[in-house]
Coordinates of all heavy atoms in Angstrom, one line a residue:
M1 N 26.9 -19.0 1.0 CA 26.2 -18.8 2.3 C 25.8 -20.1 2.8 O 25.4 -21.0 2.1 CB 24.9 -17.9 2.0 CG 24.1 -17.8 3.3 SD 22.7 -16.7 3.3 CE 22.3 -16.4 1.6
T2 N 26.0 -20.2 4.1 CA 25.6 -21.4 4.9 C 24.5 -21.1 5.9 O 24.6 -20.1 6.6 CB 26.9 -22.0 5.7 OG1 27.9 -22.2 4.8 CG2 26.5 -23.2 6.4
T3 N 23.5 -21.9 5.9 CA 22.3 -21.6 6.8 C 22.1 -22.8 7.6 O 22.0 -23.9 7.1 CB 21.1 -21.2 5.9 OG1 21.4 -20.1 5.1 CG2 19.9 -20.8 6.8
F4 N 21.8 -22.5 8.9 CA 21.5 -23.6 9.9 C 20.2 -23.1 10.6 O 20.0 -22.0 10.9 CB 22.6 -23.8 10.9 CG 23.8 -24.5 10.3 CD1 24.9 -23.7 9.9 CD2 23.8 -25.9 10.2 CE1 26.0 -24.4 9.3 CE2 24.9 -26.5 9.6 CZ 26.0 -25.7 9.2
R5 N 19.4 -24.1 10.9 CA 18.2 -23.9 11.8 C 18.7 -24.3 13.2 O 19.2 -25.4 13.3 CB 17.0 -24.7 11.3 CG 15.8 -24.5 12.2 CD 14.6 -25.0 11.5 NE 13.4 -24.8 12.3 CZ 12.6 -23.8 12.3 NH1 12.9 -22.8 11.4 NH2 11.6 -23.6 13.1
V6 N 18.5 -23.5 14.1 CA 18.9 -23.8 15.5 C 17.7 -23.6 16.4 O 17.4 -22.6 16.9 CB 20.1 -22.8 15.9 CG1 20.6 -23.2 17.3 CG2 21.2 -22.8 14.9
D7 N 17.0 -24.7 16.6 CA 15.7 -24.7 17.3 C 15.9 -24.4 18.8 O 15.0 -23.9 19.4 CB 15.0 -26.1 17.2 CG 14.4 -26.3 15.8 OD1 14.0 -25.2 15.2 OD2 14.4 -27.4 15.3
D8 N 17.1 -24.7 19.4 CA 17.3 -24.4 20.8 C 17.8 -23.0 21.0 O 18.2 -22.6 22.1 CB 18.1 -25.4 21.5 CG 19.4 -25.9 20.7 OD1 19.6 -25.4 19.6 OD2 20.1 -26.7 21.2
M9 N 17.9 -22.1 20.0 CA 18.2 -20.7 20.1 C 16.9 -20.0 20.4 O 16.1 -19.9 19.5 CB 18.9 -20.2 18.8 CG 19.2 -18.7 18.8 SD 20.0 -18.1 17.3 CE 18.7 -18.4 16.1
T10 N 16.8 -19.5 21.6 CA 15.5 -18.9 22.0 C 15.5 -17.4 22.3 O 14.4 -16.8 22.5 CB 14.9 -19.7 23.2 OG1 15.8 -19.6 24.3 CG2 14.7 -21.1 22.9
C11 N 16.7 -16.8 22.4 CA 16.7 -15.4 22.9 C 17.9 -14.7 22.4 O 18.8 -15.3 21.7 CB 16.6 -15.4 24.4 SG 18.1 -16.0 25.2
G12 N 18.0 -13.4 22.7 CA 19.2 -12.6 22.3 C 20.5 -13.1 22.9 O 21.5 -13.0 22.3
R13 N 20.4 -13.7 24.1 CA 21.7 -14.2 24.7 C 22.2 -15.4 24.0 O 23.4 -15.5 23.7 CB 21.4 -14.6 26.2 CG 22.6 -15.0 26.9 CD 22.4 -15.1 28.4 NE 23.7 -15.3 29.1 CZ 23.9 -16.3 29.9 NH1 23.0 -17.2 30.1 NH2 25.1 -16.5 30.4
C14 N 21.2 -16.3 23.5 CA 21.6 -17.4 22.7 C 22.3 -16.9 21.4 O 23.3 -17.4 21.0 CB 20.4 -18.2 22.4 SG 19.5 -19.0 23.7
A15 N 21.6 -16.0 20.8 CA 22.2 -15.4 19.5 C 23.5 -14.8 19.7 O 24.4 -15.0 18.9 CB 21.2 -14.4 18.9
G16 N 23.7 -14.1 20.8 CA 25.0 -13.5 21.1 C 26.1 -14.6 21.3 O 27.2 -14.4 20.8
K17 N 25.8 -15.7 22.0 CA 26.8 -16.8 22.2 C 27.2 -17.4 20.8 O 28.3 -17.6 20.6 CB 26.2 -17.8 23.1 CG 26.1 -17.3 24.6 CD 25.5 -18.3 25.5 CE 26.2 -19.6 25.6 NZ 25.6 -20.5 26.6
I18 N 26.2 -17.6 20.0 CA 26.4 -18.2 18.7 C 27.3 -17.2 17.8 O 28.2 -17.6 17.2 CB 25.1 -18.6 18.0 CG1 24.5 -19.7 18.7 CG2 25.4 -18.9 16.5 CD1 23.1 -20.1 18.2
S19 N 26.9 -15.9 17.8 CA 27.6 -14.9 17.1 C 29.0 -14.8 17.5 O 30.0 -14.7 16.7 CB 26.9 -13.6 17.3 OG 27.5 -12.6 16.5
S20 N 29.3 -14.8 18.8 CA 30.7 -14.8 19.4 C 31.5 -16.0 18.9 O 32.6 -15.9 18.6 CB 30.6 -14.7 20.9 OG 30.1 -13.5 21.3
A21 N 30.9 -17.2 19.0 CA 31.6 -18.4 18.5 C 31.9 -18.3 17.1 O 33.0 -18.7 16.7 CB 30.7 -19.6 18.8
L22 N 31.0 -17.8 16.2 CA 31.3 -17.7 14.8 C 32.3 -16.6 14.5 O 33.1 -16.8 13.6 CB 30.0 -17.5 14.0 CG 29.0 -18.6 14.1 CD1 27.7 -18.3 13.5 CD2 29.6 -19.9 13.4
A23 N 32.3 -15.5 15.3 CA 33.3 -14.5 15.1 C 34.7 -15.0 15.4 O 35.7 -14.6 14.8 CB 33.0 -13.3 15.9
A24 N 34.8 -15.8 16.4 CA 36.1 -16.4 16.8 C 36.6 -17.4 15.7 O 37.8 -17.5 15.5 CB 36.0 -17.2 18.1
L25 N 35.6 -18.0 15.1 CA 36.0 -19.0 14.0 C 36.5 -18.2 12.8 O 37.5 -18.6 12.2 CB 34.8 -19.8 13.6 CG 34.9 -20.8 12.4 CD1 35.9 -21.9 12.8 CD2 33.6 -21.4 12.1
D26 N 35.8 -17.2 12.3 CA 36.1 -16.4 11.2 C 35.7 -14.9 11.4 O 34.5 -14.6 11.1 CB 35.4 -17.0 9.9 CG 35.8 -16.2 8.6 OD1 36.6 -15.2 8.7 OD2 35.3 -16.6 7.6
P27 N 36.6 -14.1 11.8 CA 36.3 -12.7 12.1 C 35.8 -11.9 10.9 O 35.1 -10.9 11.0 CB 37.6 -12.1 12.6 CG 38.4 -13.2 13.1 CD 38.0 -14.4 12.2
S28 N 36.1 -12.4 9.7 CA 35.7 -11.6 8.5 C 34.3 -12.1 7.9 O 33.8 -11.5 7.0 CB 36.7 -11.8 7.4 OG 36.9 -13.1 7.0
A29 N 33.8 -13.2 8.5 CA 32.5 -13.7 8.0 C 31.4 -12.8 8.4 O 31.4 -12.1 9.4 CB 32.2 -15.1 8.6
T30 N 30.3 -12.7 7.6 CA 29.1 -12.0 7.9 C 28.1 -13.0 8.5 O 27.8 -14.0 7.9 CB 28.5 -11.4 6.6 OG1 29.5 -10.5 6.1 CG2 27.2 -10.6 6.9
V31 N 27.6 -12.7 9.7 CA 26.7 -13.5 10.4 C 25.3 -12.8 10.5 O 25.2 -11.7 11.0 CB 27.2 -13.9 11.8 CG1 26.2 -14.8 12.6 CG2 28.5 -14.6 11.7
E32 N 24.3 -13.5 10.0 CA 22.9 -13.0 10.2 C 22.1 -14.0 11.0 O 22.1 -15.2 10.7 CB 22.2 -12.9 8.8 CG 22.9 -11.9 7.9 CD 22.3 -11.9 6.5 OE1 21.0 -12.0 6.4 OE2 23.0 -12.0 5.5
I33 N 21.5 -13.5 12.1 CA 20.7 -14.4 13.0 C 19.3 -13.9 13.1 O 19.0 -12.7 13.3 CB 21.4 -14.4 14.4 CG1 22.8 -15.0 14.2 CG2 20.5 -15.2 15.3 CD1 23.5 -15.1 15.5
S34 N 18.3 -14.8 12.9 CA 16.9 -14.5 13.1 C 16.4 -15.4 14.2 O 16.3 -16.6 14.0 CB 16.1 -14.8 11.8 OG 14.7 -14.7 12.1
I35 N 16.2 -14.8 15.4 CA 15.7 -15.5 16.5 C 14.3 -16.1 16.3 O 14.0 -17.2 16.6 CB 15.8 -14.7 17.8 CG1 17.2 -14.3 18.1 CG2 15.2 -15.4 19.0 CD1 17.4 -13.2 19.2
A36 N 13.5 -15.2 15.7 CA 12.1 -15.6 15.4 C 12.0 -16.8 14.5 O 11.2 -17.7 14.7 CB 11.3 -14.5 14.8
Q37 N 12.9 -16.9 13.4 CA 12.9 -18.0 12.5 C 13.8 -19.1 12.9 O 13.9 -20.1 12.3 CB 13.2 -17.5 11.1 CG 12.1 -16.6 10.5 CD 12.5 -16.2 9.1 OE1 13.6 -16.0 8.8 NE2 11.5 -16.1 8.3
K38 N 14.7 -18.8 14.0 CA 15.6 -19.7 14.5 C 16.7 -20.1 13.4 O 17.1 -21.3 13.2 CB 15.0 -21.0 15.0 CG 14.1 -20.6 16.2 CD 13.6 -21.9 16.9 CE 12.7 -21.5 18.1 NZ 13.4 -20.9 19.2
L39 N 17.1 -19.1 12.6 CA 18.0 -19.3 11.5 C 19.3 -18.6 11.8 O 19.3 -17.4 12.3 CB 17.5 -18.8 10.2 CG 16.3 -19.6 9.7 CD1 15.7 -19.0 8.4 CD2 16.6 -21.1 9.4
V40 N 20.4 -19.2 11.4 CA 21.8 -18.6 11.5 C 22.3 -18.7 10.1 O 22.5 -19.8 9.5 CB 22.7 -19.3 12.5 CG1 24.1 -18.7 12.4 CG2 22.1 -19.2 13.9
R41 N 22.7 -17.6 9.5 CA 23.3 -17.5 8.1 C 24.7 -17.0 8.2 O 24.9 -15.9 8.8 CB 22.4 -16.7 7.2 CG 21.1 -17.3 6.8 CD 20.4 -16.4 5.8 NE 19.1 -17.0 5.6 CZ 17.9 -16.5 6.1 NH1 18.0 -15.5 6.9 NH2 16.8 -17.1 5.9
V42 N 25.6 -17.7 7.6 CA 27.0 -17.2 7.6 C 27.5 -17.1 6.2 O 27.4 -18.1 5.4 CB 27.9 -18.2 8.4 CG1 29.3 -17.8 8.4 CG2 27.3 -18.4 9.8
T43 N 28.0 -16.0 5.9 CA 28.6 -15.8 4.6 C 30.1 -15.5 4.8 O 30.5 -14.7 5.5 CB 28.0 -14.5 3.9 OG1 26.6 -14.7 3.8 CG2 28.6 -14.3 2.5
G44 N 30.9 -16.4 4.1 CA 32.4 -16.3 4.2 C 33.0 -17.5 3.6 O 32.3 -18.3 3.0
D45 N 34.3 -17.7 3.9 CA 35.0 -18.8 3.3 C 35.2 -20.0 4.3 O 35.9 -20.9 4.0 CB 36.4 -18.3 2.9 CG 36.4 -17.3 1.8 OD1 35.5 -17.4 1.0 OD2 37.3 -16.4 1.8
T46 N 34.4 -20.0 5.4 CA 34.5 -21.0 6.4 C 33.7 -22.3 5.9 O 32.6 -22.1 5.4 CB 34.0 -20.5 7.7 OG1 34.7 -19.3 8.1 CG2 34.2 -21.5 8.8
D47 N 34.3 -23.4 6.1 CA 33.6 -24.7 5.8 C 32.4 -24.8 6.6 O 32.4 -24.6 7.8 CB 34.6 -25.8 6.1 CG 34.0 -27.1 5.6 OD1 34.2 -27.4 4.4 OD2 33.4 -27.9 6.4
P48 N 31.2 -25.3 6.0 CA 30.0 -25.4 6.8 C 30.1 -26.4 8.0 O 29.5 -26.1 9.0 CB 29.0 -26.0 5.7 CG 29.6 -25.5 4.4 CD 31.1 -25.5 4.6
S49 N 30.9 -27.4 7.9 CA 31.1 -28.3 9.0 C 31.8 -27.6 10.2 O 31.5 -27.8 11.4 CB 31.8 -29.6 8.7 OG 33.2 -29.3 8.3
D50 N 32.7 -26.7 9.9 CA 33.3 -25.9 11.0 C 32.3 -24.9 11.6 O 32.4 -24.7 12.8 CB 34.5 -25.1 10.4 CG 35.7 -26.0 10.0 OD1 35.8 -27.1 10.5 OD2 36.5 -25.6 9.1
V51 N 31.4 -24.3 10.8 CA 30.4 -23.5 11.3 C 29.5 -24.3 12.2 O 29.2 -23.8 13.4 CB 29.6 -22.8 10.2 CG1 28.4 -22.1 10.7 CG2 30.4 -21.9 9.3
A52 N 29.1 -25.4 11.8 CA 28.2 -26.3 12.7 C 29.0 -26.6 14.0 O 28.4 -26.6 15.1 CB 27.8 -27.6 11.9
D53 N 30.3 -27.0 13.9 CA 31.0 -27.3 15.1 C 31.1 -26.1 16.0 O 31.0 -26.3 17.3 CB 32.5 -27.7 14.7 CG 32.5 -29.1 14.1 OD1 31.5 -29.9 14.2 OD2 33.5 -29.4 13.4
A54 N 31.2 -24.9 15.5 CA 31.3 -23.7 16.3 C 30.0 -23.4 17.0 O 29.9 -23.1 18.2 CB 31.7 -22.5 15.5
I55 N 28.9 -23.7 16.3 CA 27.5 -23.5 16.9 C 27.3 -24.6 18.0 O 26.8 -24.3 19.1 CB 26.4 -23.6 15.9 CG1 26.5 -22.4 14.9 CG2 25.0 -23.6 16.5 CD1 25.6 -22.5 13.7
R56 N 27.8 -25.8 17.8 CA 27.7 -26.9 18.8 C 28.5 -26.5 20.0 O 28.1 -26.7 21.1 CB 28.1 -28.2 18.2 CG 27.0 -29.0 17.5 CD 27.5 -30.4 17.1 NE 26.9 -30.7 15.9 CZ 27.5 -30.6 14.7 NH1 28.7 -30.1 14.6 NH2 26.8 -30.8 13.6
G57 N 29.7 -26.0 19.7 CA 30.6 -25.6 20.8 C 30.1 -24.5 21.7 O 30.4 -24.4 22.9
A58 N 29.2 -23.7 21.1 CA 28.5 -22.7 21.9 C 27.3 -23.2 22.7 O 26.7 -22.5 23.5 CB 28.0 -21.5 21.0
G59 N 27.0 -24.5 22.5 CA 26.0 -25.2 23.3 C 24.7 -25.4 22.6 O 23.6 -25.6 23.2
Y60 N 24.7 -25.3 21.2 CA 23.4 -25.3 20.5 C 23.4 -26.5 19.5 O 24.5 -27.0 19.1 CB 23.1 -24.0 19.9 CG 23.0 -22.9 20.9 CD1 24.1 -22.2 21.3 CD2 21.8 -22.7 21.6 CE1 24.0 -21.3 22.4 CE2 21.7 -21.8 22.6 CZ 22.8 -21.1 23.0 OH 22.7 -20.2 24.0
T61 N 22.3 -26.8 18.9 CA 22.2 -27.9 17.9 C 21.8 -27.4 16.5 O 20.6 -27.1 16.3 CB 21.0 -28.8 18.4 OG1 21.3 -29.1 19.8 CG2 21.1 -30.1 17.6
P62 N 22.8 -27.2 15.7 CA 22.5 -26.7 14.3 C 22.0 -27.8 13.4 O 22.4 -29.0 13.5 CB 23.9 -26.2 13.8 CG 24.8 -27.1 14.5 CD 24.2 -27.4 15.9
Q63 N 21.0 -27.5 12.6 CA 20.5 -28.4 11.5 C 20.7 -27.7 10.2 O 20.2 -26.6 10.0 CB 19.1 -28.7 11.8 CG 18.8 -29.3 13.1 CD 17.3 -29.4 13.4 OE1 16.5 -29.1 12.6 NE2 17.0 -29.8 14.6
P64 N 21.4 -28.3 9.2 CA 21.6 -27.6 7.9 C 20.3 -27.3 7.2 O 19.4 -28.1 7.3 CB 22.5 -28.6 7.1 CG 22.6 -29.8 7.9 CD 22.0 -29.6 9.3
V65 N 20.2 -26.2 6.6 CA 19.0 -25.8 5.8 C 19.5 -25.8 4.3 O 20.4 -25.2 4.0 CB 18.5 -24.4 6.2 CG1 17.4 -24.0 5.3 CG2 18.0 -24.5 7.6
Q66 N 18.7 -26.5 3.5 CA 19.0 -26.5 2.1 C 18.6 -25.2 1.5 O 17.5 -24.7 1.7 CB 18.2 -27.6 1.4 CG 18.7 -29.0 1.8 CD 20.0 -29.4 1.3 OE1 20.5 -28.9 0.2 NE2 20.7 -30.2 2.0
Q67 N 19.4 -24.6 0.7 CA 19.1 -23.4 0.0 C 18.4 -23.8 -1.3 O 19.0 -24.4 -2.2 CB 20.3 -22.5 -0.4 CG 21.1 -22.1 0.9 CD 20.2 -21.1 1.7 OE1 19.6 -20.2 1.1 NE2 20.2 -21.3 3.0
V68 N 17.1 -23.4 -1.5 CA 16.3 -23.8 -2.6 C 16.0 -22.5 -3.4 O 15.5 -21.6 -2.8 CB 15.0 -24.5 -2.2 CG1 14.2 -24.9 -3.4 CG2 15.3 -25.7 -1.3
E69 N 16.3 -22.5 -4.6 CA 15.9 -21.4 -5.5 C 14.5 -21.6 -6.0 O 14.2 -22.6 -6.6 CB 16.9 -21.3 -6.7 CG 16.6 -20.1 -7.5 CD 17.6 -19.1 -7.5 OE1 18.6 -19.2 -6.7 OE2 17.5 -18.1 -8.3
A70 N 13.6 -20.7 -5.7 CA 12.2 -20.8 -6.1 C 12.1 -20.6 -7.6 O 12.9 -19.8 -8.2 CB 11.4 -19.8 -5.4
P71 N 11.2 -21.3 -8.3 CA 11.0 -21.0 -9.7 C 10.5 -19.6 -10.0 O 9.8 -19.1 -9.2 CB 10.0 -22.1 -10.2 CG 9.3 -22.5 -8.9 CD 10.3 -22.3 -7.8
V72 N 10.9 -19.1 -11.1 CA 10.5 -17.7 -11.5 C 9.1 -17.8 -12.1 O 8.9 -18.6 -13.0 CB 11.5 -17.1 -12.4 CG1 11.0 -15.7 -12.9 CG2 12.9 -17.0 -11.7
A73 N 8.2 -17.0 -11.7 CA 6.8 -17.0 -12.2 C 6.9 -16.4 -13.7 O 7.6 -15.5 -14.0 CB 5.9 -16.1 -11.4
P74 N 6.0 -17.0 -14.5 CA 5.9 -16.5 -15.9 C 5.4 -15.0 -15.9 O 4.6 -14.6 -15.0 CB 5.0 -17.4 -16.6 CG 4.2 -18.0 -15.5 CD 5.1 -18.1 -14.3
S75 N 5.9 -14.3 -16.8 CA 5.5 -12.8 -16.9 C 4.1 -12.7 -17.4 O 3.7 -13.4 -18.3 CB 6.5 -12.1 -17.9 OG 6.1 -10.8 -18.0
R76 N 3.4 -11.8 -16.8 CA 2.0 -11.4 -17.2 C 2.0 -9.9 -17.5 O 2.1 -9.1 -16.7 CB 1.0 -11.7 -16.1 CG 0.8 -13.1 -15.8 CD -0.4 -13.3 -14.9 NE 0.1 -13.9 -13.7 CZ -0.5 -13.8 -12.5 NH1 -1.7 -13.3 -12.4 NH2 0.0 -14.4 -11.4
G77 N 1.9 -9.6 -18.8 CA 1.8 -8.2 -19.2 C 3.1 -7.5 -19.4 O 3.1 -6.3 -19.5
G78 N 4.2 -8.2 -19.3 CA 5.5 -7.6 -19.6 C 6.0 -6.6 -18.6 O 6.7 -5.7 -19.0
C79 N 5.6 -6.8 -17.3 CA 6.1 -5.8 -16.3 C 7.5 -6.0 -15.9 O 8.1 -5.1 -15.3 CB 5.2 -5.9 -15.1 SG 5.4 -7.4 -14.2
G80 N 8.1 -7.1 -16.2 CA 9.5 -7.4 -15.9 C 9.7 -8.1 -14.6 O 10.9 -8.4 -14.2
C81 N 8.7 -8.4 -13.8 CA 8.8 -9.1 -12.6 C 9.5 -10.5 -12.8 O 10.2 -11.0 -11.9 CB 7.5 -9.3 -11.9 SG 6.9 -7.7 -11.2
A82 N 9.1 -11.2 -13.9 CA 9.6 -12.5 -14.1 C 11.1 -12.6 -14.3 O 11.7 -13.6 -14.1 CB 8.9 -13.2 -15.2
S83 N 11.7 -11.5 -14.6 CA 13.2 -11.4 -14.9 C 14.0 -11.3 -13.6 O 15.2 -11.4 -13.6 CB 13.5 -10.3 -15.9 OG 13.2 -9.1 -15.3
R84 N 13.3 -11.0 -12.5 CA 14.0 -10.9 -11.2 C 14.3 -12.2 -10.6 O 13.6 -13.2 -10.8 CB 13.1 -10.1 -10.2 CG 12.8 -8.7 -10.6 CD 12.0 -8.0 -9.5 NE 11.6 -6.8 -10.0 CZ 10.5 -6.2 -9.7 NH1 9.7 -6.7 -8.8 NH2 10.1 -5.0 -10.2
K85 N 15.4 -12.3 -9.9 CA 15.9 -13.6 -9.3 C 15.0 -13.9 -8.1 O 14.7 -13.0 -7.3 CB 17.3 -13.4 -8.8 CG 17.9 -14.7 -8.3 CD 19.3 -14.5 -8.0 CE 19.9 -15.8 -7.5 NZ 21.3 -15.7 -7.1
A86 N 14.5 -15.1 -8.0 CA 13.6 -15.5 -6.9 C 14.4 -15.7 -5.7 O 15.5 -16.2 -5.7 CB 12.8 -16.8 -7.3
A87 N 13.8 -15.4 -4.5 CA 14.5 -15.6 -3.2 C 14.4 -17.0 -2.8 O 13.4 -17.7 -3.1 CB 13.9 -14.6 -2.2
A88 N 15.3 -17.5 -2.0 CA 15.3 -18.8 -1.4 C 14.2 -18.8 -0.3 O 13.9 -17.8 0.3 CB 16.6 -19.1 -0.8
V89 N 13.5 -20.0 -0.2 CA 12.4 -20.1 0.7 C 12.7 -21.3 1.6 O 13.0 -22.3 1.2 CB 11.1 -20.3 -0.1 CG1 9.9 -20.6 0.9 CG2 10.8 -19.2 -1.0
D90 N 12.5 -21.1 2.9 CA 12.6 -22.2 3.9 C 11.2 -22.7 4.0 O 10.3 -22.1 4.6 CB 13.1 -21.6 5.2 CG 13.2 -22.7 6.2 OD1 13.0 -23.9 5.9 OD2 13.5 -22.4 7.4
P91 N 10.9 -24.0 3.6 CA 9.6 -24.5 3.6 C 9.1 -24.8 5.1 O 7.9 -24.9 5.3 CB 9.7 -25.9 2.9 CG 11.2 -26.2 3.0 CD 11.9 -24.9 3.0
R92 N 9.9 -24.7 6.1 CA 9.5 -24.9 7.4 C 9.2 -23.6 8.1 O 8.8 -23.6 9.3 CB 10.6 -25.6 8.2 CG 10.8 -27.0 7.7 CD 12.0 -27.7 8.4 NE 13.2 -27.0 7.9 CZ 14.4 -27.4 8.1 NH1 14.6 -28.3 9.0 NH2 15.4 -26.8 7.6
A93 N 9.3 -22.5 7.4 CA 9.1 -21.2 8.0 C 7.6 -21.1 8.3 O 6.7 -21.6 7.6 CB 9.5 -20.0 7.1
T94 N 7.2 -20.4 9.4 CA 5.9 -20.3 9.8 C 5.1 -19.1 9.2 O 3.9 -19.0 9.3 CB 5.8 -20.2 11.4 OG1 6.5 -19.0 11.8 CG2 6.3 -21.4 12.1
T95 N 5.8 -18.2 8.6 CA 5.2 -17.1 7.9 C 5.6 -17.1 6.5 O 6.7 -17.4 6.1 CB 5.6 -15.7 8.6 OG1 7.0 -15.6 8.5 CG2 5.1 -15.7 10.0
A96 N 4.7 -16.6 5.6 CA 5.0 -16.5 4.2 C 5.8 -15.2 3.9 O 5.6 -14.2 4.6 CB 3.7 -16.5 3.4
P97 N 6.7 -15.3 2.9 CA 7.4 -14.1 2.6 C 6.5 -13.0 2.1 O 5.4 -13.3 1.5 CB 8.4 -14.5 1.5 CG 7.9 -15.9 1.1 CD 7.0 -16.4 2.1
A98 N 6.8 -11.7 2.2 CA 6.0 -10.6 1.7 C 5.8 -10.7 0.2 O 6.8 -11.1 -0.5 CB 6.7 -9.3 2.1
S99 N 4.7 -10.4 -0.2 CA 4.4 -10.4 -1.7 C 5.0 -9.3 -2.4 O 6.2 -9.3 -2.7 CB 2.9 -10.5 -1.9 OG 2.6 -10.5 -3.3
G100 N 4.4 -8.3 -2.7 CA 5.0 -7.1 -3.3 C 5.2 -7.1 -4.8 O 5.6 -6.1 -5.4
S101 N 4.9 -8.2 -5.5 CA 5.1 -8.3 -6.9 C 3.8 -7.8 -7.6 O 2.7 -8.2 -7.1 CB 5.4 -9.8 -7.3 OG 5.3 -9.9 -8.7
C102 N 3.9 -7.1 -8.7 CA 2.7 -6.7 -9.4 C 2.1 -7.9 -10.1 O 1.0 -7.8 -10.6 CB 3.1 -5.6 -10.3 SG 4.2 -6.0 -11.6
C103 N 2.9 -9.0 -10.3 CA 2.4 -10.2 -11.0 C 1.7 -11.2 -10.0 O 1.2 -12.2 -10.4 CB 3.5 -10.9 -11.7 SG 4.1 -9.9 -13.1
G104 N 1.9 -11.0 -8.7 CA 1.5 -12.0 -7.7 C 0.0 -12.0 -7.5 O -0.7 -12.9 -7.2

């Protein structure tokens, strides 16, 4: 998965232009766009630099986002939560991910 932050993506029309550019690059790729978080995630076999070029070609400025695996919390009481894979976290996100863990 390749993730870019696109700060100048401000609306659905912007997201549509980016989505169309990425579909033209790789029709089989999965594209996820979050306008609120200004993130574009592409899953497929396309080189990240080609993805960035396609976003630039659509008129936007992509910034690569590092995928960081959060450390797994130690188990408290043997509930099994610690054995779950932790989700990647964008440290620049303005909202915290939902909790939902019985260990949290």
Side-chain angles (χ1 to χ4, degrees):
M1 176 174 14
T2 303
T3 304
F4 289 96
R5 183 167 179 91
V6 185
D7 288 326
D8 47 357
M9 176 179 64
T10 59
C11 66
R13 185 167 188 238
C14 298
K17 288 174 67 176
I18 292 170
S19 183
S20 293
L22 295 172
L25 176 66
D26 182 0
S28 65
T30 301
V31 178
E32 298 174 43
I33 296 179
S34 170
I35 298 168
Q37 293 180 325
K38 300 189 178 292
L39 294 176
V40 176
R41 291 185 183 99
V42 180
T43 305
D45 294 329
T46 307
D47 187 84
S49 64
D50 292 337
V51 172
D53 288 343
I55 295 171
R56 274 189 217 95
Y60 300 91
T61 311
Q63 301 169 9
V65 174
Q66 295 290 330
Q67 296 296 315
V68 179
E69 182 112 355
V72 176
S75 177
R76 289 189 245 163
C79 67
C81 288
S83 64
R84 294 183 190 150
K85 187 175 179 181
V89 176
D90 180 5
R92 295 174 287 185
T94 57
T95 58
S99 177
S101 169
C102 63
C103 293

